[in-house]
């Protein structure tokens, strides 16, 4: 226990917390959106994120980086980032849609119990992890340094580097677009309608199956974009990378109120900051234990989270 | 889908037999189970590891854990994804108590059970107020947390784990040695039979009916006066105790344990046994454990891919036969009988 680190490193911990929170937010939105329409936790969502990191890694491999180059000039990095970001988003989005069709749809049509859907999703999750375990040889896949981690400027003791700026600004832009999609498009209207009341939405002429597919697509795309930021910031992935990120993102969604888009955002930033502060005090090894304790605590004290379960009223 | 239900066919036949026939049937089955390691049969032999060691782990060990998990998942409908935690607690209890106290294996068993039950209460009291998905995530987290704590705590061996764990003392003239897995098989089989007997007794009585009511509809059960939290907690504790014994026996057999033995994969594998065999039916669950333990050992090329296969199996089973190979008894049978 060393609280002096917390005081002396407070600015840098805060910046890191915001960066981690932004990445968590992109993943936890997927949990929240799917929960909104299906009232079901998409257990395999963390694997959709993992597929995104793997896609990013694969795209970068095609350019023959050895890992020892100098960081790229900005324009080159930007075009490369757009390339692997978009590819990861597409692959993750498609994977999420396929997941819904394979693991959820038939069970939903049959009206099977929630336990069945859950077990089916866990099966799908394990299948994906193991397939990528075999492909990647169960080792850490290291990403080349594309963007310099040298500080550009400092705030107090915090060094602000280009990758942190990229994550924060990029995530902010995505949230604005998502806000637009959910509140001002026909698709967003459909998603909100199904979240509010599936049967009434059907009667009003909403194609529920289509909306559910699109919701999975949206969640997958967000996770894919999140995975591209994750790779630039953390620079490594492995087949079971999704598990702990998934637990954190899910905790963030619950903390903010699952089903609530705004809640997922705030919950993610709160959790990101909290994780940084507590791991500075307790040691990094205990980070996941802390996350789990928060999850249990929130579920016990206020299971609806800080902002309650409401997608239809949510503003991003 | 489940038009053909072996469980019901067998159940009908069972109802028509006389008590003497049933007794003979039971004795024969139990005798066969005890005699299996003495058989020399090339057809059931496994290619790489000796058949008797496969018989102990995974076959009988999986069966014991699956029967324990079945009380939680199958009977009461609580999805527990952290069952391995109880197994780990049992194993660590045996390893630590035998190192730091003068207790022998047989005296440690009640402690292993007790600590696992205590863990069940500590996790269950807060968690069991929650339902379905939330509960699944909490138990999943619990399983991982127990492992992470074991890795991070140097006092209980850290990531390197614990070594030099003693085996059980000899009992009734049977020696427990490192070389011979058969005594461990007989020990586990005895425990398994006792557990099956206990679970069957409970299922036919008030707790069993309460579990069933909770599984079918928790709200209605609550309205009907079933104190749901109490019975869910008991299911959890009983499942945990079985996991604890299994862990202690496992530790006494392999003699050294590391946190990496107790990963989520094991929880999922046991869950796969329960799901494949038929949630809620003990015989189905044992069939599932035997199949999932035996097939990867027999077909060695499959064993590297077993988790892929199990994952796929869970998706496919849920989609085409959600009640498993041997589904639990249909309620209609009871209605007919009482009508």
């Amino acid at each position: 226990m060393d609280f002096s680190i917390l005081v002396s490193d407070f600015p840098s911990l805060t910046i890191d917390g915001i960066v981690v929170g932004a990445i968590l937010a992109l993943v936890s939105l997927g949990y929240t959106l799917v929960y909104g329409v299906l009232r079901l936790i998409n257990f395999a969502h963390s694997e959709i994120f993992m597929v995104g990191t793997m896609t990013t890694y694969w795209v970068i491999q095609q350019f023959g980086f050895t890992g020892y180059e100098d960081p790229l000039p900005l324009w080159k990095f930007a075009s490369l980032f757009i390339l692997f970001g978009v590819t990861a988003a597409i692959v993750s989005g498609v994977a999420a849609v396929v997941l819904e069709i394979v693991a959820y749809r038939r069970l939903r049509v049959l009206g099977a119990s929630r336990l069945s859907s859950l077990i089916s999703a866990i099966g799908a999750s394990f299948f994906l992890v193991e397939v990528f375990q075999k492909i990647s040889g169960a080792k850490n896949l290291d990403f080349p340094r594309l963007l310099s981690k040298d500080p550009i400027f400092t705030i107090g003791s915090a060094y602000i580097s280009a990758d942190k700026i990229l994550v924060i600004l990029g995530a902010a832009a995505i949230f604005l677009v998502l806000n637009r999609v959910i509140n001002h498009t026909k698709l967003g209207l459909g998603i909100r309608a199904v979240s509010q009341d599936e049967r009434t939405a059907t009667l009003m002429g909403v194609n529920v199956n289509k909306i559910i597919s699109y919701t999975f697509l949206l969640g997958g795309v967000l996770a894919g974009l999140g995975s591209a930021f994750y790779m630039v910031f953390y620079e490594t992935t492995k087949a079971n990378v999704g598990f702990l990120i998934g637990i954190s993102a899910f905790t963030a969604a619950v903390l903010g109120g699952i089903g609530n888009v705004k809640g997922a955002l705030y919950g993610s930033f709160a959790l990101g900051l909290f994780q940084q502060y507590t791991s500075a005090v307790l040691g990094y090894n205990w980070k996941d234990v802390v996350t789990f304790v928060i999850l249990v605590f929130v579920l016990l004290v206020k299971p609806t989270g800080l902002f309650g379960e409401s997608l239809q009223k949510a503003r991003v | 889908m489940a038009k053909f239900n072996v469980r019901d066919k067998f159940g009908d036949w069972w109802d028509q037999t006389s008590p003497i026939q049933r007794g003979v049937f039971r004795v024969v089955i139990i005798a066969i189970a005890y005699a299996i390691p003495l058989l020399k049969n090339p057809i059931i032999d496994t290619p790489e590891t000796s058949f008797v060691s496969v018989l102990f782990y995974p076959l009988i060990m999986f069966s014991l854990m699956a029967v324990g998990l079945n009380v939680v998942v199958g009977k009461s409908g609580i999805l527990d994804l952290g069952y391995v935690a109880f197994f780990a607690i049992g194993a660590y209890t045996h390893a630590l108590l035998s190192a730091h106290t003068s207790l022998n294996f047989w005296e440690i068993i009640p402690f292993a059970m007790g600590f696992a039950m205590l863990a069940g209460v500590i996790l269950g009291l807060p968690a069991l107020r929650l339902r379905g998905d939330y509960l699944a995530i909490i138990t999943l987290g619990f399983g991982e947390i127990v492992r992470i704590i074991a890795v991070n705590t140097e006092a209980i061996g850290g990531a390197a784990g614990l070594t030099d764990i003693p085996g059980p003392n000899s009992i009734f003239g049977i020696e427990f040695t490192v070389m011979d897995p058969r005594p461990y098989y007989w020990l586990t089989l005895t425990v398994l039979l006792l557990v099956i007997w206990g679970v069957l007794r409970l299922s036919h009585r008030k707790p069993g009916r309460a579990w069933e009511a909770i599984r079918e509809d928790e709200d209605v059960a609550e309205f009907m006066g079933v104190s749901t939290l109490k019975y869910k907690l008991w299911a959890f504790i009983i499942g945990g105790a079985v996991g604890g014994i299994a862990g202690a026996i496992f530790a006494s057999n392999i003699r050294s344990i590391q946190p990496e033995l107790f990963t989520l994969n094991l929880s999922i594998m046991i869950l796969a046994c329960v799901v494949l065999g038929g949630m809620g039916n003990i015989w189905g669950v044992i069939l599932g454990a035997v199949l999932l333990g035996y097939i990867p050992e027999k077909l060695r090329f499959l064993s590297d891919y077993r988790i892929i296969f199990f994952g796929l199996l869970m998706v496919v089973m849920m989609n085409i036969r959600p009640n498993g190979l041997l589904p639990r008894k249909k309620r209609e049978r009871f209605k007919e009988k009482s009508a």
Side-chain angles (χ1 to χ4, degrees):
Chain A
M1 293 264 197
D2 189 357
F3 287 96
S4 63
I5 290 181
L6 186 60
V7 179
S8 60
D9 286 358
F10 190 77
S12 67
L13 291 173
T14 307
I15 293 294
D16 284 354
I18 293 172
V19 173
V20 172
I23 294 170
L24 281 184
L26 289 169
V27 184
S28 68
L29 282 167
Y31 282 106
T32 270
L33 288 168
V34 168
Y35 187 87
V37 292
L38 284 188
R39 295 278 175 267
L40 211 93
I41 293 162
N42 180 7
F43 224 91
H45 188 61
S46 50
E47 271 40 87
I48 301 298
F49 173 83
M50 181 272 289
V51 169
T53 62
M54 290 291 173
T55 312
T56 309
Y57 178 80
W58 179 80
V59 170
I60 282 301
Q61 283 245 300
Q62 308 309 308
F63 289 90
F65 286 98
T66 55
Y68 294 105
E69 292 88 357
D70 292 330
L72 300 171
L74 197 59
W75 67 270
K76 228 176 172 176
F77 172 77
S79 43
L80 208 55
F81 182 79
I82 290 171
L83 177 69
F84 65 68
V86 168
T87 318
I90 293 172
V91 173
S92 291
V94 171
V97 172
V98 171
L99 172 80
E100 193 266 326
I101 292 170
V102 172
Y104 288 111
R105 178 156 296 178
R106 199 182 130 86
L107 290 170
R108 185 156 45 81
V109 172
L110 290 176
S113 73
R114 297 160 67 86
L115 197 61
S116 313
S117 308
L118 207 51
I119 291 171
S120 156
I122 293 164
S125 166
F126 260 73
F127 175 76
L128 283 172
V129 172
E130 279 298 309
V131 167
F132 279 91
Q133 198 90 267
K134 291 286 170 245
I135 295 173
S136 71
K139 54 182 188 285
N140 287 345
L141 303 173
D142 290 322
F143 202 61
R145 179 150 301 178
L146 300 174
L147 199 56
S148 166
K149 289 212 183 255
D150 297 334
I152 298 174
F153 59 89
T154 58
I155 304 174
S157 62
Y159 297 108
I160 314 293
S161 53
D163 58 333
K164 294 177 187 171
I165 298 174
L166 172 83
V167 174
I168 294 172
L169 291 184
I174 293 167
F175 300 146
L176 289 177
V177 173
L178 181 69
N179 180 31
R180 195 85 203 147
V181 170
I182 290 193
N183 290 318
H184 301 282
T185 63
K186 208 173 167 185
L187 170 64
L189 189 65
I191 292 176
R192 281 180 290 145
V194 175
S195 305
Q196 200 161 20
D197 189 331
E198 192 184 312
R199 190 173 293 179
T200 314
T202 313
L203 293 175
M204 295 295 134
V206 177
N207 184 342
V208 173
N209 274 340
K210 206 170 101 185
I211 290 293
I212 288 174
S213 281
Y214 275 121
T215 310
F216 271 84
L217 180 69
L218 195 58
V221 165
L222 289 169
L225 292 169
S227 70
F229 289 120
Y230 177 93
M231 289 303 272
V232 173
F233 186 65
Y234 286 102
E235 300 180 322
T236 183
T237 186
K238 56 184 187 293
N240 57 7
V241 71
F243 180 71
L244 289 173
I245 287 275
I247 289 273
S248 291
F250 175 76
T251 306
V254 170
L255 184 64
I258 196 155
N260 180 334
V261 173
K262 191 176 69 177
L265 276 186
Y266 292 154
S268 301
F269 286 112
L271 185 68
L273 289 169
F274 197 78
Q275 278 185 349
Q276 293 298 315
Y277 298 148
T278 49
S279 43
V281 175
L282 297 174
Y284 190 75
N285 288 342
W286 296 96
K287 189 189 75 169
D288 302 311
V289 179
V290 170
T291 309
F292 174 71
V293 171
I294 295 176
L295 176 63
V296 174
F297 187 74
V298 174
L299 286 177
L300 287 179
V301 177
K302 199 164 181 337
T304 50
L306 299 174
F307 297 90
E309 299 184 13
S310 59
L311 191 67
Q312 63 281 5
K313 289 185 222 139
R315 295 287 180 274
V316 179
Chain B
M1 198 65 205
K3 277 271 187 306
F4 178 70
N5 188 337
V6 185
R7 177 68 176 86
D8 281 356
K9 290 269 187 311
F10 182 77
D12 292 338
W13 172 79
W14 187 249
D15 287 340
Q16 288 155 13
T17 50
S18 69
I20 298 164
Q21 281 174 306
R22 288 186 210 179
V24 170
F25 186 77
R26 283 198 190 103
V27 169
V28 169
I29 292 290
I30 293 172
I32 291 174
Y34 274 101
I36 287 174
L38 303 172
L39 301 176
K40 285 267 172 286
N41 186 337
I43 297 170
I44 58 171
D45 234 346
T46 42
E48 290 192 18
T49 30
S50 78
F51 177 66
V52 277
S53 70
V54 168
L55 207 54
F56 169 69
Y57 190 90
L59 286 196
I60 196 79
M61 217 59 199
F62 274 19
S63 304
L64 180 57
M65 282 195 277
V67 168
L69 183 62
N70 179 48
V71 175
V72 184
V73 179
K75 295 242 178 265
S76 352
I78 306 165
L79 187 53
D80 181 356
L81 298 178
Y83 193 65
V84 72
F86 300 112
F87 188 60
I89 288 168
Y92 269 89
T93 305
H94 174 53
L96 289 169
L97 284 185
S98 59
H100 296 294
T101 65
S102 58
L103 297 175
N104 67 33
F105 175 79
W106 308 104
E107 291 155 354
I108 289 172
I109 284 283
F111 286 97
M113 269 173 81
F115 284 127
M117 288 163 94
L118 188 67
V121 175
I122 292 171
L123 172 68
L125 261 185
L128 288 172
R129 292 170 203 279
L130 303 162
R131 302 250 175 114
D133 309 11
Y134 287 129
L135 187 56
I137 297 255
I138 294 263
T139 52
L140 173 78
F142 176 70
E144 278 299 285
I145 295 308
V146 166
R147 188 178 66 80
I148 293 174
I149 290 176
V151 171
N152 288 346
T153 312
E154 286 306 320
I156 56 169
L162 297 160
T163 50
D164 294 331
I165 302 167
N169 307 34
S170 59
I171 189 166
F172 307 132
I174 301 169
E175 295 285 335
F176 289 84
T177 59
V178 184
M179 298 308 293
D180 188 4
R182 280 179 306 183
Y184 293 95
Y185 169 79
W186 286 320
L187 169 64
T188 319
L189 181 62
T190 312
V191 173
L192 177 66
L193 290 173
L194 288 173
V195 169
I196 291 174
W197 177 76
V199 170
L200 283 180
R201 302 282 290 186
L202 283 175
S203 322
H204 290 149
R205 281 167 180 71
K206 199 176 169 189
R209 291 197 297 274
W211 287 333
E212 208 155 326
I214 292 166
R215 183 185 66 214
E216 296 304 325
D217 193 324
E218 205 173 324
D219 291 323
V220 174
E222 183 91 54
F223 286 138
M224 291 297 156
V226 177
S227 89
T228 51
L229 182 64
K230 182 177 121 189
Y231 284 107
K232 284 199 291 183
L233 195 57
W234 270 114
F236 225 64
I237 292 172
I238 292 167
V242 175
I245 303 179
I249 298 175
F250 181 65
S252 77
N253 173 260
I254 65 165
R255 307 286 162 116
S256 73
I257 52 174
Q258 302 85 35
E260 290 318 305
L261 289 170
F262 307 104
T263 56
L264 181 63
N265 278 11
L266 191 55
S267 291
I268 298 297
M269 226 174 303
I270 305 301
L271 182 66
C273 298
V274 174
V275 169
L276 173 74
M279 282 186 278
N281 176 14
I282 288 189
W283 313 116
V285 164
I286 292 175
L287 175 71
V290 168
L291 286 178
L292 289 190
Y294 183 68
I295 292 172
E297 295 291 341
K298 181 77 181 173
L299 309 171
R300 206 58 203 189
F301 62 91
L302 260 181
S303 85
D304 279 350
Y305 298 91
R306 67 174 104 184
I307 301 283
I308 296 182
F309 168 70
F310 291 168
L312 210 57
L313 185 80
M314 283 159 79
V315 177
V316 172
M317 282 302 283
M318 281 301 116
N319 275 288
I320 60 171
R321 206 179 158 97
N323 293 324
L325 293 177
L326 288 182
R328 62 175 164 251
K329 220 182 287 190
K330 284 267 181 294
R331 287 286 70 184
E332 286 74 30
R333 250 165 43 78
F334 263 83
K335 272 185 220 152
E336 283 166 10
K337 255 172 41 175
S338 56

